[in-house]
Amino acid sequence: CWQFCVCEYSPRSYFILRLLTEFALKEIMSSGGAEDDIPQAERKTVTDFCYLLDKSKQLFNGLRDLPQYGQKQWQSYFGRTFDVYTKLWKFQQQHRQVLDNRYGLKRWQIGEIASKIGQLYYHYYLRTSETSYLNEAFSFYSAIRQRSYYSQVNKEDRPELVVKKLRYYARFIVVCLLLNKMDVVKDLVKELSDEIEDYTHRFNTEDQVEWNLVLQEVAAFIEADPVMVLNDDNTIVITSNRLSETGAPLLEQGMIVGQLALADALIIGNCNNQVKFSELTIDMFRMLQALEREPMNLASQMNKPGMQESTEKPARRENPHKYLLYKPTFSQLYTFLAASFKELPANSVLLIYLSATGVFPSGRSDSEGPYDFGGVLTNSNRDIINGDAIHKRNQSYKEMHCLHPGDLYPFTRKPLFIIVDSSNSVAYKNFTNLFGQPLVCLLSPTAYPKALQDQSQRGSLFTLFLNNPLMAFLFVSGLSSMRRGLWEKCQDYLRKINRDIAQLLTHSRSIDQSFLQFFGDEFLRLLLTRFIFCSATMRMHKIFRETRNYPESYPQLPRDETVENPHLQKHILELASILDVRNVFLENTLDDY
C-alpha cells in the first residue's frame, strides 16, 4: 500500500500522467474538427478535466490494493481519493458547456463520476461503520436516477456500458436496504428487472442467469421478515431496528456496572442456503443493524461530496467498528480477528458474532478439551454439501475448516463478547476463562420445534430476537401481521420489560461479574436484555419443550433471578394478553421444571 502511494505521487508518474493526458486531449480535439480553432482557455479546461479524470480513476483502482483489515492504513489514501473526486465533480459542474462542446462529455460519464463517489461513501461506511455516510451514498445514487444520467446508455451498442448501469442499480439497492428504504428498493428492483430483460434481449449475453439470480436474491431478502406491520390503509410500515434514543434501558441510580465500551465487532455469516444479497446474509444484516445507531440527519451536506469537516463532531459516541465476513476461510477469519485484537483500545470490548453451520465431533473423545466439541464451519474454498452437520471422515483428527472454541482462547486476554447462532452453539458452552478478563458467550438453541424449522432460510429465530424482539415474539405466537397502533403499544410495553430485566440483572447477587462489566455499554446492554427476554419467552412457550430449544450462556445466568423469574414471566404473559395469544404460553411454568 505505501509503495503504491509513493509511486502515485512521484515526479516521474506525474510527468507520465501529463503526457498521457496531452495525448488523449489531441485525440479528442482532432476528432472534433480544427484543433487550432480552440481557444487556449477552453483547451486548458479540457486538459485539466482529463487529468482529474485519469487521476481519479487511478486512485479509485488503487483502493482495491489497500488491506481490508486495520483501521489506520487506509485513511490517508481514502482522503486523497475523496479530494480528487470532489475537485472532479465541481469541475465538471462549473465547465459543463465547454466539456460538452470540446470534450464530448456524455451524461453517462457524469453518472459514472457520481456513482464512483457513491461507492466511496459506501466503502467509507464499511470502513468506519458510521451510518451517516450511507446517507451520502444514497444522495449521489439518487441523483443519478433522478437526473437520468444513464438513460442514453441503452441507445449505444456497447454492452459494457449497460453492465455499468446494472451494477449501479445493484449497489443502489444495497444502500437502500441498509437504510431501510424499502419503498425505493421495490421501485429499483422493478427498474432493474426491466433493464436486465432489455439487456439480455438486445445482446444475448451469457450472464443472464447471474443477473436473474441477483433479482431473486433481493426479492427473497425483502420478504425475509416473518411479520408485517400495517397502516390503516394496509400499506406496510417500515420499522428500523438500529439503536434509538429510547432503545436501550437507561442505567438507573444504584446500578453498579462496568465502564467498558464496545469498540470492534466481527460479524461472520456462513450458513448454508440462508437468504443473502451482495455477500450479506439476512442474519449478518440483522446483527449489523443491532450494532448501529440511527443515521444522523446530514441533509445540509447531501450535495457536498467529500468527507465531513473535522469541526463537525457527532452528538454521541460513534458506532463500534465492524468487519463483515461472508463465508471466510479460517485464515481470513483469524487475520481479521488478530487485526481487531491488536487495535482494540484500552477499556474496550471485542464482539464476535458467528452465524454458521455446526461442525460436530466424530465419535467419542477421551478428553473434553476446547477442540473436542466441534464448533462452527469456516469456508474451505470448495463446494460444501448441503446440510447442517459437517462430519470429519477420519475420526483421529479434528476438523480443519472449523472455528473451535479453543481457537478463540488467545483473544480472551482482552474483554470478549461472543454470540454464536449455530446448530452446534453449545460447543462454546465449554469455555474456560484463562486470563480473568470479562468474557460472555450468548448461545442460540441448537434445534427448534418442527413447526418453526422450515423458516431457517429466512434467518435464525435467535438472531431475530436480538435484532427485533417484538417481531420474533409475534412470529412464535403465530401472528404474521399487525396494525401499527397495536405494534407501537407493544413496543412501549417491551421497553418496560427491558427496564425490568435490567433491574433483575444488576440487582442479582449470584450473577457472574462479566455480565455487569459489559452492561455499561448501550449496545451490549440491549443485547443482554433481549437475550434474557428471548430465553424467558422460549421457556414459557408451549411448543419449546426440549432443553435444546433454549438459548444458553457462558457463564450461566442464575435462572431463578433472570430467565425464570416470576416477575418477568408475568410480563411476558401480559404482553401475550395484549396480543390475544396467551393460549400459546404456559401459565405455571415454574411447576414444569
Side-chain angles (χ1 to χ4, degrees):
C1 171
W2 67 269
Q3 289 176 333
F4 181 83
C5 292
V6 171
C7 176
E8 269 277 308
Y9 284 85
S10 66
R12 184 173 178 273
S13 70
Y14 178 87
F15 177 71
I16 292 172
L17 188 58
R18 270 295 181 184
L19 284 179
L20 291 173
T21 301
E22 291 291 342
F23 177 77
L25 178 62
K26 288 184 178 180
E27 290 290 315
I28 294 167
M29 296 299 192
S30 61
S31 64
E35 183 181 342
D36 296 335
D37 295 340
I38 300 174
Q40 186 64 30
E42 294 184 3
R43 183 192 300 275
K44 185 178 185 304
T45 296
V46 177
T47 302
D48 291 346
F49 176 77
C50 289
Y51 174 76
L52 285 173
L53 186 63
D54 289 341
K55 190 68 176 174
S56 67
K57 290 178 179 178
Q58 193 180 58
L59 285 168
F60 191 90
N61 291 336
L63 291 174
R64 66 172 63 98
D65 298 324
L66 295 177
Q68 294 177 295
Y69 50 85
Q71 300 182 42
K72 305 300 181 186
Q73 304 93 325
W74 56 273
Q75 288 181 334
S76 61
Y77 190 90
F78 251 85
R80 288 197 294 272
T81 308
F82 264 116
D83 287 343
V84 171
Y85 270 97
T86 299
K87 292 175 184 176
L88 178 63
W89 183 252
K90 291 180 178 178
F91 194 89
Q92 62 83 24
Q93 286 180 318
Q94 294 167 354
H95 304 282
R96 180 73 57 79
Q97 187 172 355
V98 174
L99 294 173
D100 285 346
N101 296 334
R102 300 302 186 187
Y103 179 80
L105 184 66
K106 295 181 172 60
R107 290 189 65 76
W108 68 262
Q109 292 174 302
I110 302 172
E112 272 295 281
I113 297 171
S115 180
K116 288 288 197 299
I117 296 173
Q119 290 177 61
L120 280 174
Y121 276 120
Y122 173 67
H123 284 286
Y124 206 76
Y125 156 73
L126 292 179
R127 294 271 187 173
T128 64
S129 299
E130 283 307 310
T131 44
S132 57
Y133 294 114
L134 284 174
N135 280 331
E136 300 285 6
F138 176 83
S139 69
F140 276 92
Y141 285 145
S142 185
I144 293 170
R145 182 169 172 244
Q146 291 170 358
R147 299 172 190 176
S148 303
Y149 281 138
Y150 283 119
S151 61
Q152 301 300 312
V153 162
N154 293 7
K155 296 181 180 179
E156 300 196 28
D157 192 27
R158 295 174 60 185
E160 70 275 12
L161 291 184
V162 182
V163 170
K164 287 179 181 289
K165 185 176 184 179
L166 299 182
R167 288 175 176 169
Y168 150 73
Y169 269 106
R171 294 183 181 113
F172 195 6
I173 287 170
V174 171
V175 169
C176 290
L177 284 172
L178 290 168
L179 287 171
N180 293 310
K181 296 181 181 291
M182 294 304 174
D183 292 340
V184 181
V185 170
K186 291 174 182 177
D187 292 339
L188 292 174
V189 169
K190 186 180 183 306
E191 292 174 22
L192 177 59
S193 178
D194 294 339
E195 294 289 346
I196 291 172
E197 185 177 347
D198 178 71
Y199 166 65
T200 54
H201 177 73
R202 287 174 58 209
F203 298 106
N204 192 26
T205 59
E206 297 179 356
D207 55 355
Q208 178 179 359
V209 175
E210 295 175 16
W211 282 110
N212 285 332
L213 181 60
V214 169
L215 288 174
Q216 293 170 18
E217 285 184 348
V218 70
F221 208 92
I222 294 171
E223 297 170 0
D225 282 350
V227 179
M228 291 186 298
V229 184
L230 301 174
N231 286 310
D232 292 337
D233 59 357
N234 286 335
T235 55
I236 298 175
V237 178
I238 307 302
T239 59
S240 175
N241 302 303
R242 287 187 169 95
L243 182 62
S244 63
E245 294 284 341
T246 58
L250 296 175
L251 292 175
E252 299 176 10
Q253 191 172 6
M255 289 184 176
I256 302 174
V257 298
Q259 301 299 313
L260 297 173
L262 179 60
D264 240 49
L266 269 72
I267 298 178
I268 297 150
N270 193 14
C271 282
N272 294 328
N273 301 324
Q274 191 174 99
V275 168
K276 76 168 194 69
F277 184 64
S278 183
E279 297 200 340
L280 192 68
T281 67
I282 191 68
D283 277 357
M284 294 171 67
F285 174 76
R286 286 170 175 162
M287 184 49 59
L288 80 86
Q289 296 222 329
L291 298 177
E292 291 180 347
R293 301 183 189 279
E294 285 293 343
M296 293 170 57
N297 182 11
L298 297 182
S300 61
Q301 300 181 6
M302 280 303 190
N303 296 319
K304 183 184 72 174
M307 297 163 61
Q308 283 181 274
E309 297 293 334
S310 58
T311 57
E312 296 169 1
K313 296 182 179 179
R316 286 179 169 271
R317 180 170 63 83
E318 61 186 15
N319 293 324
H321 172 261
K322 297 183 295 296
Y323 289 119
L324 306 176
L325 303 180
Y326 174 68
K327 293 195 172 181
T329 63
F330 178 83
S331 297
Q332 290 170 332
L333 195 160
Y334 228 59
T335 300
F336 280 86
L337 190 52
S340 289
F341 181 83
K342 177 184 176 183
E343 296 187 350
L344 196 69
N347 300 316
S348 296
V349 181
L350 171 61
L351 182 147
I352 303 171
Y353 169 77
L354 298 165
S355 167
T357 299
V359 179
F360 296 89
S362 297
R364 291 185 174 273
S365 174
D366 295 333
S367 61
E368 291 189 351
Y371 289 88
D372 295 316
F373 297 96
V376 298
L377 185 69
T378 56
N379 194 0
S380 61
N381 286 332
R382 65 170 184 265
D383 292 334
I384 300 297
I385 300 173
N386 287 342
D388 201 46
I390 308 298
H391 295 275
K392 187 68 180 171
R393 287 189 297 259
N394 190 330
Q395 296 186 14
S396 61
Y397 297 106
K398 310 301 180 187
E399 172 60 51
M400 287 175 57
H401 305 291
C402 169
L403 186 72
H404 297 269
D407 294 324
L408 298 179
Y409 276 22
F411 305 102
T412 61
R413 288 174 169 84
K414 294 181 180 180
L416 192 61
F417 194 98
I418 303 169
I419 302 172
V420 185
D421 196 336
S422 172
S423 57
N424 192 27
S425 60
V426 290
Y428 296 82
K429 180 182 172 184
N430 303 285
F431 239 101
T432 303
N433 192 340
L434 299 175
F435 303 104
Q437 292 292 314
L439 172 65
V440 162
C441 302
L442 305 184
L443 311 174
S444 72
T446 56
Y448 294 101
K450 291 182 180 179
L452 300 174
Q453 282 179 347
D454 60 349
Q455 299 291 326
S456 59
Q457 286 189 345
R458 299 169 69 178
S460 163
L461 178 61
F462 178 68
T463 293
L464 184 61
F465 261 105
L466 298 181
N467 164 259
N468 191 336
L470 180 54
M471 182 172 288
F473 189 88
L474 295 174
F475 174 63
V476 298
S477 301
L479 300 175
S480 58
S481 64
M482 168 176 286
R483 292 294 172 187
R484 181 173 192 163
L486 184 56
W487 170 271
E488 292 174 350
K489 179 180 178 180
C490 291
Q491 285 284 28
D492 286 340
Y493 194 77
L494 191 58
R495 280 189 278 272
K496 172 180 169 56
I497 293 176
N498 280 341
R499 288 195 297 270
D500 286 355
I501 291 174
Q503 289 276 2
L504 293 174
L505 198 145
T506 53
H507 291 168
S508 169
R509 297 187 176 184
S510 56
I511 195 167
D512 189 281
Q513 288 299 304
S514 286
F515 291 101
L516 299 179
Q517 287 293 317
F518 291 129
F519 210 68
D521 180 88
E522 281 184 282
F523 294 104
L524 300 181
R525 190 186 320 147
L526 194 57
L527 288 173
L528 286 168
T529 55
R530 287 174 173 177
F531 173 81
I532 292 172
F533 174 74
C534 168
S535 186
T537 297
M538 290 178 177
R539 290 171 184 274
M540 294 183 67
H541 202 288
K542 287 181 178 178
I543 68 170
F544 288 77
R545 290 295 86 204
E546 299 181 51
T547 304
R548 60 183 187 154
N549 295 157
Y550 306 141
E552 298 196 51
S553 67
Y554 171 87
Q556 285 192 355
L557 285 164
R559 288 185 184 178
D560 57 333
E561 296 182 75
T562 55
V563 296
E564 292 177 7
N565 181 277
H567 184 65
L568 175 56
Q569 291 176 340
K570 182 180 177 182
H571 277 326
I572 291 173
L573 289 176
E574 181 59 32
L575 179 61
S577 296
I578 295 172
L579 295 166
D580 197 24
V581 292
R582 189 159 177 153
N583 61 304
V584 304
F585 293 93
L586 298 168
E587 294 283 343
N588 299 308
T589 52
L590 289 179
D591 297 337
D592 296 302
Y593 288 92

